[in-house]
Amino acid sequence: MRLNGKQSFLYNNFLCPALLWVILCLGISSAHSQELNSDQLFQKARIEAFENKNYPGAINIAKQALTRSPDYTDIQVFLGRLYTWSDQPDSARMVFQMIALTPPQDPDFYLAYGSLEYWEGQHPKALQIVNRGLSISPKTEDLLLLKAKILQSAKQYDDALNSLQSLLEVNPKNGEARDMLARLKNQETGHEIGINYNFMYFNTQFEDNWHVLGASYKRATPIGSFILRTNYANKFADNGVQFELEAYPRLSNLFYMYLGAGYSDDVGIFPKFRSGASLYANLPKSFEAEIGYRQLKFTQDIWMYTASIGKYYKNFWFNIRTYLTPDEDNISQSYAGTVRYYTRGADDYLGLIVGTGISPEENRENLFTDNPYKLKSFKAGMDYNFTVRSKNLFSITGTYYNVEYRPQTKDDQFDISLGYRRRF
């Protein structure tokens, strides 16, 4: 049929676009009328849960997906997790128990089911589930970490440490495991004896070099570690003995303390009394903070206040510490930054320290008696710690000091320390 000019104009400008629009709408309607498959519904449920935080809506969508694919394990596990996050443990448990009848080979199922029982305080059941998952996939990091958390909550600290050590053998860069391992070190049980030798070389400040030999005994208990230490020193061509007692009591999963005291009858070689206390806080994101004091008494008391913050990142540990020593006129300041690179467990690492000022934690506390408020120093050192068959711990430390022991007069000094400890 031929169209005249007016008809052609109407068709091209009005009827044809309208017809195309109708066809497009019918196509869209037809597409929407087709049902989504189980994978598409699974993705939709995840979006509803993670992006919209609508757990009830996500549960309904996951159920729709399971009507299409009743044996889709990933969706079943996700439904159990949704019930867990919605504080419906009975419904979640029912889902997981149905899945367990198979039984599945996916470690993610054991992680989800074990997490539910762990959060519900059912530690024996949670441990049983996680161990079943690890029998299928022994190197799954999340399962090893969850196992350590369950054992810690059950106060089985040594077993928790073993789980973390296994995890770090799989992945030394797991920062959460390394952070947890460091915190658990003060909760393990057992005994440890140790010996340490420290040699201090002075170029010009003193005629004689210093030697310090220490022996220690450590008793680790569920409430914290206790250390008894005896130090023998040769300084200024004279000898002396010091006795020390330290404790690291655990207050909660968040806080623990350091408490220390020392006594010597050989004043000058050692301070007559020394004491210290610090409160440590295990913070989120693998951070740790400390605040405390240290006190030395030679002929008079010297009080220092300390604060530090540390952070675990993969297989690194970073720490910044300061000591502030107030006087009537000013405040002496000391700063140090430490980096450790862990090669395996908590006792296997290579460390680097750079700082200014003097630390009361070193065997150089005698230098505080020589006008500490004008004393300037710089130090840089490295240490290497490693274990042999897990029970034998070795340490090697070397530190360089540049000390201004008189105005405009500096001395180059070197410290070398060797240590050995044996656990039993």
Side-chain angles (χ1 to χ4, degrees):
M1 181 179 69
R2 290 179 65 88
L3 300 176
N4 59 35
K6 182 177 182 180
Q7 290 173 328
S8 178
F9 175 82
L10 292 171
Y11 179 82
N12 291 329
N13 289 276
F14 295 100
L15 296 179
C16 184
L19 182 61
L20 290 174
W21 177 253
V22 170
I23 293 172
L24 180 60
C25 289
L26 288 173
I28 294 173
S29 176
S30 175
H32 275 291
S33 65
Q34 297 177 0
E35 293 183 343
L36 297 176
N37 62 35
S38 54
D39 285 321
Q40 291 170 326
L41 287 169
F42 186 18
Q43 184 62 28
K44 185 177 179 181
R46 292 175 63 86
I47 293 172
E48 198 68 21
F50 297 132
E51 295 185 12
N52 301 331
K53 306 299 180 183
N54 181 10
Y55 295 140
I59 289 172
N60 290 332
I61 298 171
K63 287 180 177 179
Q64 292 177 36
L66 288 173
T67 61
R68 290 157 175 73
S69 303
D71 298 326
Y72 201 144
T73 305
D74 288 347
I75 301 177
Q76 293 173 332
V77 172
F78 185 62
L79 178 60
R81 280 199 166 108
L82 288 170
Y83 279 127
T84 302
W85 299 334
S86 301
D87 197 22
Q88 301 181 55
D90 292 338
S91 297
R93 192 174 285 115
M94 187 178 300
V95 171
F96 290 136
Q97 288 172 349
M98 290 295 295
I99 302 172
L101 296 176
T102 312
Q105 299 298 304
D106 186 357
D108 192 51
F109 160 72
Y110 298 97
L111 178 65
Y113 193 6
S115 297
L116 167 69
E117 300 298 354
Y118 166 61
W119 291 329
E120 289 298 305
Q122 303 298 317
H123 298 142
K125 180 67 174 177
L127 188 60
Q128 182 184 32
I129 294 167
V130 170
N131 282 335
R132 198 177 305 149
L134 287 170
S135 68
I136 297 170
S137 181
K139 294 185 178 182
T140 300
E141 295 181 38
D142 289 337
L143 283 176
L144 288 167
L145 185 62
L146 177 58
K147 180 177 180 179
K149 292 178 180 179
I150 295 167
L151 291 167
Q152 181 189 27
S153 297
K155 298 184 178 180
Q156 300 178 39
Y157 302 119
D158 290 344
D159 291 335
L161 284 168
N162 291 334
S163 182
L164 291 171
Q165 293 281 15
S166 299
L167 195 166
L168 289 171
E169 289 177 4
V170 175
N171 180 14
K173 296 183 179 181
N174 192 307
E176 186 176 359
R178 192 163 298 287
D179 176 37
M180 187 177 177
L181 181 66
R183 299 177 184 188
L184 276 173
K185 292 297 292 181
N186 290 324
Q187 301 175 20
E188 64 180 333
T189 58
H191 306 264
E192 181 182 287
I193 57 173
I195 187 169
N196 188 84
Y197 169 69
N198 187 206
F199 169 77
M200 285 159 274
Y201 166 82
F202 301 91
N203 188 25
T204 59
Q205 185 176 6
F206 302 113
E207 292 184 2
D208 299 292
N209 298 319
W210 292 0
H211 308 266
V212 179
L213 182 65
S216 64
Y217 167 72
K218 176 181 177 181
R219 177 70 171 101
T221 73
I223 63 172
S225 299
F226 300 86
I227 303 172
L228 179 63
R229 184 180 292 108
T230 301
N231 298 312
Y232 166 82
N234 179 274
K235 300 178 179 179
F236 312 111
D238 200 359
N239 302 320
V241 178
Q242 180 190 51
F243 302 97
E244 293 182 288
L245 178 62
E246 296 180 345
Y248 293 86
R250 181 175 59 88
L251 305 181
S252 67
N253 288 333
L254 179 61
F255 295 105
Y256 72 95
M257 292 193 68
Y258 158 78
L259 300 172
Y263 170 80
S264 175
D265 206 28
D266 300 300
V267 181
I269 307 298
F270 293 103
K272 187 171 185 65
F273 297 106
R274 68 175 300 157
S275 67
S278 284
L279 177 66
Y280 290 86
N282 297 314
L283 303 176
K285 304 294 184 181
S286 300
F287 279 94
E288 180 183 69
E290 173 202 359
I291 187 169
Y293 84 92
R294 304 292 185 268
Q295 172 260 341
L296 303 173
K297 180 177 178 59
F298 289 92
T299 56
Q300 61 180 0
D301 285 316
I302 300 173
W303 292 87
M304 291 151 284
Y305 302 93
T306 185
S308 71
I309 185 146
K311 162 71 175 177
Y312 286 93
Y313 176 73
K314 295 184 178 180
N315 48 338
F316 286 92
W317 178 68
F318 303 92
N319 182 269
I320 299 175
R321 174 183 292 277
T322 183
Y323 286 99
L324 304 176
T325 308
D327 184 42
E328 294 179 358
D329 300 324
N330 56 23
I331 297 178
S332 177
Q333 303 175 38
S334 170
Y335 300 96
T338 303
V339 178
R340 289 179 182 173
Y341 176 81
Y342 288 90
T343 57
R344 290 189 298 172
D347 300 297
D348 299 90
Y349 61 85
L350 181 66
L352 170 68
I353 184 170
V354 176
T356 62
I358 299 175
S359 165
E361 313 297 338
E362 301 164 344
N363 286 316
R364 304 165 63 85
E365 65 267 269
N366 309 72
L367 301 180
F368 278 100
T369 63
D370 186 16
N371 199 2
Y373 311 112
K374 295 182 180 180
L375 189 65
K376 298 178 182 178
S377 69
F378 165 81
K379 66 179 178 182
M382 296 187 67
D383 63 330
Y384 178 50
N385 288 250
F386 62 97
T387 58
V388 176
R389 296 182 179 178
S390 74
K391 300 293 184 180
N392 302 283
L393 293 80
F394 296 87
S395 63
I396 304 171
T397 303
T399 309
Y400 163 75
Y401 293 87
N402 183 262
V403 178
E404 184 181 28
Y405 63 97
R406 287 198 301 263
Q408 306 302 316
T409 304
K410 295 183 178 181
D411 185 22
D412 293 320
Q413 305 171 4
F414 297 91
D415 280 15
I416 298 175
S417 181
L418 304 174
Y420 169 74
R421 293 177 289 156
R422 168 72 181 181
R423 294 192 182 119
F424 59 96

